[in-house]
Amino acid sequence: MTIRVVMAGATGWVGKALVPAIGAQGDMALAGAVSRSGAGQDSGLLIGMPANGITVSASLAEALEVPSDVLVDYTKPHVVKDHALLAIEKGRHVVIGTSGLGATDFGEIDAAARANRVGVIAAGNFSITATLMKRFAVMAAKYVPDVEVIDYASAKKPDAPSGTARELAEALADVRKASTVRPVSEVSGVPGTRGAAVGTGEGVQVHALRLPSYILSCEALFGLPDERLTIRHDAGSSATPYVAGTLLAIRRVQEITGLVRGLDALMD
């Protein structure tokens, strides 16, 4: 069966790589594309590829008027939640690659997906090496309680922390033992420089840097007496690493009901 995909954010950094990749899969077809700036144009020509016959829609509501199975969203933090809820309401499965959502947002999306009996896969990062970073860091956190996360991204990135760092910190917070580090509440000077706690319980401290020349990097730093461990992921300048993971999510999302977070949940 051919999976009919609507691509929201078709002219974005990842969207430009996914539009031709979806069309090249034997079991997928591009059913719709969304981009306000490119509305009315052929989605292939718009990204510098051969015409594919799919006209870009100005809104997701317009794109969902055509039959489809899965929405893939690589848009902006302020619209992704509404996009997901609309697609779920319309009976579509959803793959979310956009960052900026919090635990409350994911709870609403999960409840809506279960009520409508569709699946949602959301990942802070769909690259294989970023997923392995998360997996290895979670393994380490079971043995080393003291861990903090540093999140690097471009100066223009609108959300902090990144989805990658947020998902990592939440996963670490779920498995780590009590920290031995002085609590932030007991820190003098400027306590805010210790970062922000992300995740359940005492959380994990996350420090977000936003500087020119960075694309996306994330590292988990672990400390024990007289020894340290750093697990780090660095992204390159192309969107290629995110394509394979997103295609995997498109294929697997119809098998689930409700929300699954993280590409690592699909890797086994």
Side-chain angles (χ1 to χ4, degrees):
M1 183 183 73
T2 299
I3 307 170
R4 300 165 297 180
V5 182
V6 171
M7 180 72 230
T11 58
W13 185 50
V14 181
K16 287 180 179 178
L18 277 170
V19 165
I22 291 167
Q25 305 305 304
D27 59 345
M28 296 182 195
L30 189 68
V34 181
S35 171
R36 287 184 299 174
S37 62
Q41 302 181 57
D42 182 275
S43 60
L45 294 176
L46 189 59
I47 62 171
M49 302 292 291
N52 58 22
I54 301 298
T55 301
V56 176
S57 300
S59 68
L60 179 61
E62 180 184 339
L64 293 178
E65 291 176 2
V66 177
S68 57
D69 303 301
V70 178
L71 166 68
V72 177
D73 192 291
Y74 275 92
T75 56
K76 300 293 183 181
H78 68 282
V79 299
V80 59
K81 179 180 175 181
D82 288 342
H83 278 184
L85 293 175
L86 175 61
I88 290 168
E89 179 186 334
K90 298 294 185 181
R92 270 60 159 196
H93 303 278
V94 182
V95 174
I96 299 174
T98 308
S99 60
L101 296 175
T104 301
D105 301 315
F106 283 122
E108 291 182 41
I109 291 170
D110 181 45
R114 292 184 184 280
N116 287 272
R117 302 189 62 79
V118 297
V120 179
I121 296 174
N125 197 318
F126 275 105
S127 92
I128 300 300
T129 56
T131 301
L132 291 173
M133 173 200 65
K134 175 185 172 185
R135 173 163 291 194
F136 298 153
V138 169
M139 291 171 61
K142 296 177 181 178
Y143 301 95
V144 185
D146 293 316
V147 57
E148 300 195 8
V149 172
I150 301 181
D151 170 44
Y152 307 83
S154 73
K156 302 296 185 182
K157 187 168 177 58
D159 58 311
S162 67
T164 305
R166 189 171 196 160
E167 187 175 290
L168 172 62
E170 289 174 347
L172 294 172
D174 286 341
V175 300
R176 69 180 293 190
K177 297 181 174 65
S179 172
T180 67
V181 175
R182 180 186 297 277
V184 174
S185 60
E186 298 178 7
V187 172
S188 60
V190 184
T193 61
R194 288 287 294 115
V198 176
T200 58
E202 63 183 299
V204 169
Q205 295 302 119
V206 178
H207 312 265
L209 281 68
R210 297 292 179 264
L211 295 168
S213 81
Y214 282 94
I215 298 172
L216 177 66
S217 300
C218 186
E219 60 185 7
L221 290 82
F222 295 86
L224 283 171
D226 290 325
E227 56 181 330
R228 295 180 296 275
L229 171 67
T230 299
I231 303 175
R232 177 174 172 132
H233 162 75
D234 290 285
S237 59
S238 83
T240 301
Y242 311 108
V243 171
T246 305
L247 295 176
L248 173 62
I250 292 170
R251 292 187 171 99
R252 295 289 300 277
V253 70
Q254 295 181 90
E255 302 171 6
I256 66 175
T257 298
L259 171 71
V260 170
R261 290 189 62 190
L263 184 61
D264 54 312
L266 309 181
M267 292 182 70
D268 292 331

